[in-house]
Amino acid sequence: MSDIKNNTPIEEVEMDEEINKNTICAYENDILGGLLAAADYKNDAVPIEIVRNGVVLIRFSIRPLSEEEYHKCRERHTKYVRNKQLGVKIPDHTNTPQFRNELIYQATIEEDRNKLWNNKDAWKKLDVINGVELVGRILKAGEKDAVCDKLDEISGYSVTQEEVAKN
């Protein structure tokens, strides 16, 4: 037998059952390690700074969101209507600003969320009733856009097919 590209001979070796089991176990550990590392993505925090006029006003970290978390955020801020012909509810309108506020709130790591968005003194002074509303009151539209772009990137939504294939 020979390697098609280089036309070099390939040596075929008979392996006994014990060697096969050990080889498979070694690869399984590599595979398991890769799977576990890939599943631990929620602990990958990325720092965010809100800078205005050259001054850092707020620092917080966000983590990637799962597809289910994105879906729950969208569901909370989507109005549904019943289609009389089909007899089912269908999405009518998504409150995009509230949806983006919710994404930022949910993606903020818990420690920073408690310090910033769940700050009850800020709620009182800015007349909001929860952390999601506070996100909308504090961040400008472009700032929210930048944070959401970063969130999409770290959550895997802006990865190109080429990058996936390379990695």
Side-chain angles (χ1 to χ4, degrees):
M1 185 177 235
S2 65
D3 181 359
I4 295 174
K5 288 182 182 176
N6 300 326
N7 206 18
T8 56
I10 297 176
E11 182 181 344
E12 290 186 22
V13 177
E14 289 245 355
M15 298 174 77
D16 66 13
E17 191 172 322
E18 185 64 29
I19 293 173
N20 273 339
K21 284 181 183 177
N22 290 338
T23 303
I24 289 170
C25 284
Y27 285 119
E28 281 179 355
N29 287 337
D30 288 345
I31 292 169
L32 179 60
L35 291 172
L36 294 175
D40 194 35
Y41 68 88
K42 286 188 178 182
N43 293 324
D44 298 338
V46 174
I48 300 290
E49 290 185 338
I50 302 302
V51 180
R52 294 185 192 155
N53 300 321
V55 177
V56 176
L57 298 177
I58 304 170
R59 283 189 177 102
F60 60 99
S61 294
I62 59 172
R63 65 171 180 82
L65 294 179
S66 68
E67 185 174 9
E68 291 81 19
E69 290 171 308
Y70 268 89
H71 180 72
K72 284 180 185 176
C73 290
R74 184 175 306 281
E75 286 284 313
R76 278 189 213 120
H77 301 288
T78 299
K79 178 183 173 189
Y80 290 86
V81 294
R82 182 165 297 284
N83 181 316
K84 292 178 184 177
Q85 290 177 325
L86 300 174
V88 295
K89 285 182 172 180
I90 57 171
D92 180 48
H93 174 75
T94 299
N95 183 334
T96 304
Q98 282 297 98
F99 169 60
R100 289 162 31 113
N101 295 345
E102 178 89 23
L103 286 175
I104 293 168
Y105 178 83
Q106 293 299 331
T108 302
I109 64 170
E110 190 171 350
E111 179 184 340
D112 291 345
R113 187 183 320 140
N114 290 334
K115 284 191 292 190
L116 293 173
W117 312 133
N118 292 338
N119 184 325
K120 298 205 177 177
D121 291 334
W123 291 7
K124 287 178 188 173
K125 291 196 186 278
L126 295 172
D127 194 30
V128 297
I129 60 170
N130 60 35
V132 174
E133 282 190 23
L134 187 61
V135 171
R137 192 51 98 57
I138 299 232
L139 299 180
K140 294 179 177 182
E143 294 166 342
K144 288 195 292 183
D145 196 41
V147 174
C148 286
D149 284 348
K150 189 63 172 176
L151 175 59
D152 285 347
E153 178 186 319
I154 66 173
S155 295
Y157 283 108
S158 64
V159 177
T160 65
Q161 292 298 333
E162 185 177 311
E163 289 172 332
V164 170
K166 285 182 183 177
N167 292 331

